[in-house]
Every structure is written in C-alpha cells, then in structure tokens.
Amino acid sequence: MYYLFSDDEVWHREITATSWRSAIKQAKDWFSIKGKVRCINHVGNVKKFLLIGSDYMFELREVE
C-alpha cells in the first residue's frame, strides 16, 4: 500500500507504508515537520492534517 503526500510546496510524493500512522511518521521525517499533527478532515481515502500551533497543512491520500 502507498500514500500520496501533498502540501503547498510538494505535490503527490509517494510514501510506501503499511498504515496511516506509518505514512504520517515518514512524511514528518522526510519533510522535517516538527511537532504534533491533527487530522482536520477525512473524506474517503484522503486525510488533511494540521500542524498544531501553526497554519501548515498537508494531505495524505491512501492508494491501494
């Protein structure tokens, strides 16, 4: 299974992971996202996350 990561600067970078949690961890590591994130929207296979304490957001799309 893989996930597509996107934010304002990166569009659809592929992340290979076995779970949402693992995909979030990899995205945070790869893009140096420091701090806790919260899911603010979940529609179908797309989750939108907000970095707590900032206005930075990113999305992960689950692709099977």
Coordinates of all heavy atoms in Angstrom, one line a residue:
M1 N 0.8 -1.2 0.0 CA 0.0 0.0 0.0 C 0.9 1.2 0.0 O 2.0 1.2 0.5 CB -0.9 0.0 1.2 CG -1.8 1.1 1.3 SD -2.9 1.1 2.8 CE -3.5 -0.6 2.9
Y2 N 0.4 2.3 -0.6 CA 1.2 3.5 -0.6 C 0.2 4.7 -0.4 O -1.0 4.6 -0.6 CB 2.1 3.7 -1.8 CG 1.5 3.9 -3.1 CD1 1.3 5.2 -3.6 CD2 1.0 2.8 -3.9 CE1 0.7 5.4 -4.9 CE2 0.4 3.0 -5.1 CZ 0.3 4.3 -5.6 OH -0.3 4.5 -6.8
Y3 N 0.8 5.8 -0.1 CA 0.1 7.1 0.2 C 0.7 8.2 -0.7 O 2.0 8.2 -0.9 CB 0.2 7.4 1.7 CG -0.4 6.4 2.6 CD1 0.3 5.3 2.9 CD2 -1.7 6.6 3.0 CE1 -0.3 4.3 3.7 CE2 -2.3 5.6 3.9 CZ -1.6 4.5 4.2 OH -2.2 3.6 5.0
L4 N -0.1 9.1 -1.1 CA 0.5 10.3 -1.8 C 0.4 11.5 -0.8 O -0.6 11.8 -0.2 CB -0.4 10.6 -3.0 CG -0.4 9.5 -4.1 CD1 -1.3 9.9 -5.2 CD2 1.0 9.3 -4.6
F5 N 1.5 12.2 -0.7 CA 1.7 13.3 0.2 C 1.6 14.6 -0.7 O 2.2 14.6 -1.7 CB 3.0 13.3 0.9 CG 3.4 14.5 1.7 CD1 3.0 14.6 3.0 CD2 4.0 15.6 1.1 CE1 3.4 15.8 3.7 CE2 4.3 16.7 1.8 CZ 4.0 16.8 3.1
S6 N 0.9 15.6 -0.2 CA 0.9 16.9 -0.9 C 0.7 18.0 0.1 O 0.0 17.8 1.1 CB -0.1 16.9 -2.0 OG -1.4 16.9 -1.5
D7 N 1.4 19.1 -0.2 CA 1.2 20.4 0.6 C 1.3 21.5 -0.5 O 1.3 21.2 -1.7 CB 2.1 20.5 1.8 CG 3.5 20.6 1.5 OD1 3.9 20.7 0.3 OD2 4.3 20.7 2.4
D8 N 1.5 22.7 0.0 CA 1.7 23.8 -1.0 C 2.9 23.7 -1.8 O 3.0 24.3 -2.9 CB 1.6 25.1 -0.3 CG 0.2 25.5 0.3 OD1 -0.7 24.9 -0.3 OD2 0.1 26.3 1.2
E9 N 4.0 23.1 -1.3 CA 5.3 23.0 -2.0 C 5.5 21.7 -2.7 O 6.2 21.7 -3.7 CB 6.4 23.3 -1.0 CG 6.3 24.7 -0.4 CD 7.4 24.9 0.7 OE1 8.3 24.1 0.7 OE2 7.3 25.9 1.4
V10 N 5.0 20.6 -2.2 CA 5.2 19.3 -2.8 C 3.9 18.7 -3.2 O 2.9 18.7 -2.4 CB 5.9 18.3 -1.7 CG1 6.1 17.0 -2.3 CG2 7.2 18.9 -1.2
W11 N 3.8 18.2 -4.4 CA 2.6 17.7 -4.9 C 2.7 16.2 -5.2 O 3.5 15.8 -6.0 CB 2.1 18.4 -6.2 CG 0.8 18.0 -6.6 CD1 0.5 17.3 -7.8 CD2 -0.5 18.1 -5.9 NE1 -0.8 17.1 -7.9 CE2 -1.5 17.5 -6.8 CE3 -0.9 18.7 -4.7 CZ2 -2.8 17.5 -6.4 CZ3 -2.2 18.6 -4.4 CH2 -3.2 18.0 -5.2
H12 N 2.0 15.4 -4.5 CA 1.9 14.0 -4.7 C 3.3 13.3 -4.7 O 3.7 12.7 -5.7 CB 1.2 13.7 -6.0 CG -0.3 14.0 -5.9 ND1 -1.2 13.2 -5.3 CD2 -1.0 15.1 -6.4 CE1 -2.4 13.8 -5.4 NE2 -2.3 14.9 -6.0
R13 N 3.9 13.3 -3.6 CA 5.1 12.5 -3.4 C 4.7 11.2 -2.8 O 3.9 11.1 -1.9 CB 6.1 13.2 -2.4 CG 7.2 12.3 -1.9 CD 8.5 12.9 -2.3 NE 9.6 11.9 -1.9 CZ 10.7 12.3 -1.3 NH1 10.9 13.6 -1.0 NH2 11.6 11.4 -1.0
E14 N 5.2 10.1 -3.3 CA 4.7 8.7 -2.9 C 5.4 8.3 -1.7 O 6.7 8.4 -1.5 CB 5.0 7.8 -4.1 CG 4.4 6.4 -3.8 CD 4.6 5.5 -5.0 OE1 4.4 5.9 -6.2 OE2 5.1 4.3 -4.8
I15 N 4.7 7.7 -0.7 CA 5.2 7.2 0.5 C 4.7 5.7 0.6 O 3.5 5.5 0.6 CB 4.7 8.0 1.7 CG1 5.2 9.4 1.7 CG2 5.1 7.3 3.0 CD1 4.6 10.3 2.8
T16 N 5.6 4.8 0.7 CA 5.2 3.4 0.9 C 5.1 3.1 2.4 O 6.1 3.3 3.1 CB 6.2 2.4 0.3 OG1 6.4 2.8 -1.1 CG2 5.8 1.0 0.4
A17 N 3.9 2.7 2.8 CA 3.7 2.5 4.3 C 2.6 1.4 4.4 O 1.8 1.2 3.5 CB 3.3 3.8 5.0
T18 N 2.5 0.9 5.6 CA 1.5 -0.2 5.9 C 0.3 0.4 6.7 O -0.7 -0.3 6.8 CB 2.1 -1.3 6.8 OG1 2.7 -0.7 7.9 CG2 3.2 -2.0 6.0
S19 N 0.4 1.6 7.1 CA -0.7 2.2 7.9 C -0.6 3.8 7.8 O 0.4 4.3 7.4 CB -0.6 1.8 9.3 OG 0.5 2.4 10.0
W20 N -1.8 4.4 8.1 CA -1.8 5.9 8.2 C -0.7 6.4 9.1 O 0.0 7.3 8.8 CB -3.2 6.4 8.6 CG -4.2 6.3 7.6 CD1 -5.2 5.3 7.6 CD2 -4.5 7.2 6.5 NE1 -6.0 5.6 6.5 CE2 -5.6 6.7 5.8 CE3 -3.8 8.3 6.1 CZ2 -6.1 7.3 4.7 CZ3 -4.3 8.9 4.9 CH2 -5.5 8.4 4.3
R21 N -0.6 5.8 10.3 CA 0.4 6.2 11.3 C 1.8 6.2 10.7 O 2.6 7.1 10.9 CB 0.3 5.4 12.5 CG 1.2 5.8 13.6 CD 1.0 5.0 14.9 NE -0.3 5.5 15.4 CZ -0.6 5.4 16.7 NH1 0.2 4.8 17.5 NH2 -1.7 5.9 17.1
S22 N 2.1 5.1 10.1 CA 3.5 5.0 9.5 C 3.7 6.0 8.4 O 4.8 6.6 8.2 CB 3.6 3.6 8.9 OG 4.9 3.4 8.3
A23 N 2.7 6.3 7.6 CA 2.8 7.3 6.5 C 3.0 8.7 7.1 O 3.8 9.5 6.6 CB 1.5 7.2 5.6
I24 N 2.3 9.0 8.2 CA 2.4 10.3 8.8 C 3.9 10.4 9.3 O 4.5 11.5 9.2 CB 1.4 10.5 10.0 CG1 0.0 10.6 9.4 CG2 1.7 11.7 10.8 CD1 -1.1 10.4 10.4
K25 N 4.4 9.4 10.0 CA 5.7 9.4 10.5 C 6.7 9.6 9.4 O 7.6 10.5 9.6 CB 6.0 8.1 11.3 CG 7.4 8.2 12.0 CD 7.7 6.9 12.7 CE 9.0 6.9 13.3 NZ 10.1 7.6 12.8
Q26 N 6.6 8.9 8.3 CA 7.5 9.1 7.2 C 7.5 10.5 6.6 O 8.5 11.1 6.3 CB 7.3 8.1 6.1 CG 7.7 6.7 6.5 CD 7.5 5.7 5.4 OE1 7.8 6.0 4.2 NE2 6.9 4.6 5.7
A27 N 6.3 11.0 6.5 CA 6.1 12.4 5.9 C 6.8 13.4 6.8 O 7.5 14.3 6.4 CB 4.6 12.7 5.8
K28 N 6.6 13.2 8.1 CA 7.2 14.2 9.1 C 8.7 14.1 9.0 O 9.4 15.1 9.1 CB 6.7 13.9 10.5 CG 5.2 14.3 10.7 CD 4.7 13.9 12.1 CE 5.4 14.8 13.2 NZ 4.9 14.5 14.5
D29 N 9.2 12.9 8.9 CA 10.7 12.7 8.8 C 11.2 13.3 7.5 O 12.2 14.0 7.5 CB 11.1 11.2 8.9 CG 10.9 10.6 10.3 OD1 10.7 11.4 11.3 OD2 10.9 9.4 10.4
W30 N 10.6 13.0 6.4 CA 11.1 13.4 5.1 C 11.1 14.9 4.9 O 12.0 15.5 4.3 CB 10.4 12.8 4.0 CG 10.7 11.3 3.8 CD1 11.6 10.5 4.4 CD2 10.0 10.4 2.8 NE1 11.5 9.2 4.0 CE2 10.6 9.2 3.0 CE3 9.0 10.6 1.9 CZ2 10.2 8.1 2.2 CZ3 8.6 9.5 1.1 CH2 9.2 8.3 1.3
F31 N 10.0 15.5 5.4 CA 9.8 17.0 5.2 C 10.1 17.8 6.4 O 9.7 19.0 6.4 CB 8.4 17.2 4.6 CG 8.1 16.5 3.3 CD1 7.4 15.3 3.3 CD2 8.7 16.9 2.2 CE1 7.2 14.6 2.2 CE2 8.5 16.2 1.0 CZ 7.7 15.1 1.0
S32 N 10.8 17.2 7.4 CA 11.2 17.9 8.6 C 10.0 18.7 9.3 O 10.2 19.8 9.6 CB 12.3 18.9 8.3 OG 13.4 18.2 7.8
I33 N 8.9 18.0 9.4 CA 7.7 18.5 10.1 C 7.9 18.2 11.6 O 7.9 17.1 12.0 CB 6.4 17.9 9.5 CG1 6.3 18.2 8.0 CG2 5.2 18.5 10.3 CD1 5.2 17.4 7.3
K34 N 8.1 19.3 12.3 CA 8.4 19.1 13.8 C 7.1 19.5 14.6 O 6.6 20.5 14.3 CB 9.5 20.0 14.2 CG 10.8 19.7 13.5 CD 11.4 18.4 13.7 CE 12.7 18.2 13.0 NZ 13.0 16.8 12.8
G35 N 6.7 18.6 15.4 CA 5.5 18.9 16.3 C 4.4 17.9 16.0 O 4.5 17.0 15.2
K36 N 3.3 18.0 16.7 CA 2.2 17.1 16.6 C 1.3 17.6 15.5 O 1.1 18.8 15.3 CB 1.4 17.1 17.9 CG 2.2 16.4 19.0 CD 1.4 16.3 20.3 CE 2.2 15.7 21.4 NZ 1.4 15.5 22.6
V37 N 0.6 16.7 14.8 CA -0.3 17.0 13.8 C -1.7 16.4 14.2 O -1.8 15.4 14.9 CB 0.1 16.5 12.4 CG1 1.4 17.1 11.9 CG2 0.2 15.0 12.4
R38 N -2.7 17.0 13.7 CA -4.1 16.6 14.0 C -4.8 16.5 12.7 O -4.7 17.3 11.8 CB -4.8 17.6 14.9 CG -6.2 17.3 15.2 CD -6.8 18.3 16.2 NE -7.1 19.5 15.4 CZ -7.1 20.7 15.9 NH1 -7.0 20.9 17.1 NH2 -7.4 21.7 15.1
C39 N -5.6 15.4 12.5 CA -6.5 15.2 11.3 C -7.6 16.2 11.4 O -8.4 16.2 12.4 CB -7.0 13.8 11.2 SG -8.0 13.5 9.8
I40 N -7.8 17.1 10.4 CA -8.9 18.1 10.5 C -10.0 17.8 9.5 O -11.0 18.4 9.5 CB -8.3 19.5 10.3 CG1 -7.6 19.6 9.0 CG2 -7.5 19.9 11.5 CD1 -7.2 21.1 8.6
N41 N -9.7 16.8 8.6 CA -10.7 16.5 7.6 C -10.4 15.1 7.1 O -9.3 14.8 6.8 CB -10.7 17.5 6.5 CG -12.0 17.4 5.6 OD1 -12.9 16.6 5.9 ND2 -12.0 18.1 4.5
H42 N -11.4 14.2 6.9 CA -11.3 12.9 6.4 C -12.4 12.6 5.5 O -13.6 12.5 5.9 CB -11.2 11.9 7.6 CG -11.0 10.5 7.1 ND1 -11.2 9.4 8.0 CD2 -10.7 9.9 5.9 CE1 -10.9 8.3 7.3 NE2 -10.7 8.6 6.1
V43 N -12.1 12.6 4.2 CA -13.2 12.3 3.2 C -12.7 11.1 2.3 O -11.7 11.3 1.6 CB -13.4 13.5 2.3 CG1 -14.5 13.2 1.2 CG2 -13.9 14.7 3.2
G44 N -13.3 10.0 2.4 CA -12.9 8.8 1.6 C -11.6 8.4 2.0 O -11.3 8.1 3.1
N45 N -10.7 8.4 1.0 CA -9.3 7.9 1.2 C -8.3 9.1 1.4 O -7.1 8.9 1.2 CB -8.9 7.0 0.0 CG -8.8 7.8 -1.3 OD1 -9.5 8.8 -1.5 ND2 -8.1 7.2 -2.2
V46 N -8.8 10.3 1.7 CA -7.9 11.4 1.9 C -8.1 12.0 3.3 O -9.2 12.2 3.7 CB -8.3 12.6 0.8 CG1 -7.4 13.8 1.1 CG2 -8.1 12.0 -0.6
K47 N -7.0 12.2 3.9 CA -7.0 12.9 5.2 C -6.1 14.1 5.2 O -5.0 14.1 4.6 CB -6.4 12.0 6.3 CG -7.3 10.8 6.7 CD -6.7 10.0 7.8 CE -7.6 8.8 8.2 NZ -7.1 8.1 9.4
K48 N -6.7 15.2 5.7 CA -6.0 16.5 5.8 C -5.5 16.7 7.2 O -6.3 16.6 8.2 CB -6.9 17.6 5.3 CG -6.2 18.9 5.2 CD -7.1 20.0 4.5 CE -6.3 21.2 4.1 NZ -7.2 22.0 3.3
F49 N -4.2 17.1 7.4 CA -3.6 17.3 8.7 C -3.2 18.7 8.9 O -2.7 19.4 8.0 CB -2.4 16.4 8.8 CG -2.8 14.9 8.8 CD1 -2.8 14.2 7.6 CD2 -3.2 14.2 9.9 CE1 -3.1 12.9 7.5 CE2 -3.5 12.9 9.9 CZ -3.5 12.2 8.7
L50 N -3.3 19.2 10.1 CA -2.8 20.5 10.6 C -1.7 20.3 11.6 O -1.9 19.5 12.5 CB -4.0 21.3 11.2 CG -3.6 22.6 11.8 CD1 -3.2 23.6 10.8 CD2 -4.8 23.1 12.6
L51 N -0.6 21.0 11.4 CA 0.4 21.1 12.4 C 0.0 22.0 13.5 O -0.3 23.1 13.3 CB 1.7 21.6 11.8 CG 2.9 21.7 12.7 CD1 3.3 20.3 13.3 CD2 4.1 22.3 12.0
I52 N -0.2 21.4 14.7 CA -0.7 22.1 15.9 C 0.2 23.3 16.2 O 1.4 23.2 16.3 CB -0.9 21.2 17.1 CG1 -1.9 20.1 16.8 CG2 -1.3 22.0 18.3 CD1 -2.0 19.0 17.8
G53 N -0.5 24.5 16.4 CA 0.3 25.7 16.7 C 0.8 26.5 15.5 O 1.5 27.4 15.6
S54 N 0.4 26.0 14.3 CA 0.7 26.8 13.1 C -0.4 26.7 12.1 O -1.4 26.1 12.3 CB 2.0 26.2 12.5 OG 1.7 25.0 11.8
D55 N -0.2 27.3 10.9 CA -1.2 27.2 9.8 C -0.7 26.2 8.7 O -1.3 26.2 7.7 CB -1.5 28.6 9.3 CG -0.3 29.2 8.7 OD1 0.8 28.7 8.8 OD2 -0.5 30.3 8.0
Y56 N 0.3 25.4 9.0 CA 0.8 24.5 8.0 C -0.1 23.3 7.9 O -0.5 22.7 8.9 CB 2.2 24.0 8.4 CG 2.8 22.9 7.4 CD1 3.2 23.3 6.2 CD2 2.8 21.6 7.8 CE1 3.7 22.3 5.3 CE2 3.3 20.6 6.9 CZ 3.7 21.0 5.6 OH 4.1 20.1 4.8
M57 N -0.5 22.9 6.7 CA -1.4 21.8 6.5 C -0.8 20.9 5.3 O -0.1 21.4 4.5 CB -2.8 22.2 6.1 CG -3.5 22.9 7.2 SD -5.2 23.3 6.7 CE -4.9 24.9 5.9
F58 N -1.1 19.6 5.4 CA -0.7 18.7 4.3 C -1.8 17.6 4.2 O -2.6 17.4 5.1 CB 0.6 18.1 4.5 CG 0.8 17.1 5.7 CD1 0.5 15.8 5.6 CD2 1.2 17.6 7.0 CE1 0.7 14.9 6.7 CE2 1.3 16.8 8.1 CZ 1.1 15.5 7.9
E59 N -1.8 16.9 3.1 CA -2.8 15.9 2.9 C -2.1 14.6 2.6 O -1.0 14.5 2.0 CB -3.7 16.2 1.7 CG -4.6 17.3 1.9 CD -5.6 17.5 0.7 OE1 -5.4 16.9 -0.3 OE2 -6.4 18.4 0.8
L60 N -2.7 13.5 3.0 CA -2.3 12.1 2.6 C -3.5 11.4 1.9 O -4.6 11.5 2.4 CB -1.8 11.3 3.8 CG -0.5 11.7 4.4 CD1 -0.3 10.9 5.7 CD2 0.6 11.5 3.5
R61 N -3.2 10.8 0.8 CA -4.2 10.1 0.0 C -3.8 8.6 0.0 O -2.7 8.3 -0.5 CB -4.3 10.6 -1.4 CG -5.3 9.9 -2.2 CD -5.3 10.4 -3.7 NE -5.6 11.8 -3.7 CZ -6.9 12.3 -3.9 NH1 -7.9 11.5 -4.1 NH2 -7.0 13.6 -3.9
E62 N -4.6 7.7 0.5 CA -4.4 6.3 0.5 C -4.6 5.7 -0.9 O -5.7 5.9 -1.4 CB -5.2 5.6 1.6 CG -4.9 4.1 1.7 CD -5.8 3.5 2.7 OE1 -7.0 3.8 2.8 OE2 -5.3 2.6 3.5
V63 N -3.7 5.0 -1.4 CA -3.8 4.4 -2.7 C -3.5 2.9 -2.6 O -2.5 2.5 -2.0 CB -2.8 5.0 -3.8 CG1 -3.0 4.4 -5.1 CG2 -3.1 6.5 -3.8
E64 N -4.4 2.0 -3.1 CA -4.2 0.6 -2.9 C -3.6 0.0 -4.2 O -3.8 0.5 -5.2 CB -5.5 -0.1 -2.5 CG -6.0 0.4 -1.2 CD -7.2 -0.3 -0.8 OE1 -7.5 -1.4 -1.2 OE2 -8.0 0.3 0.0

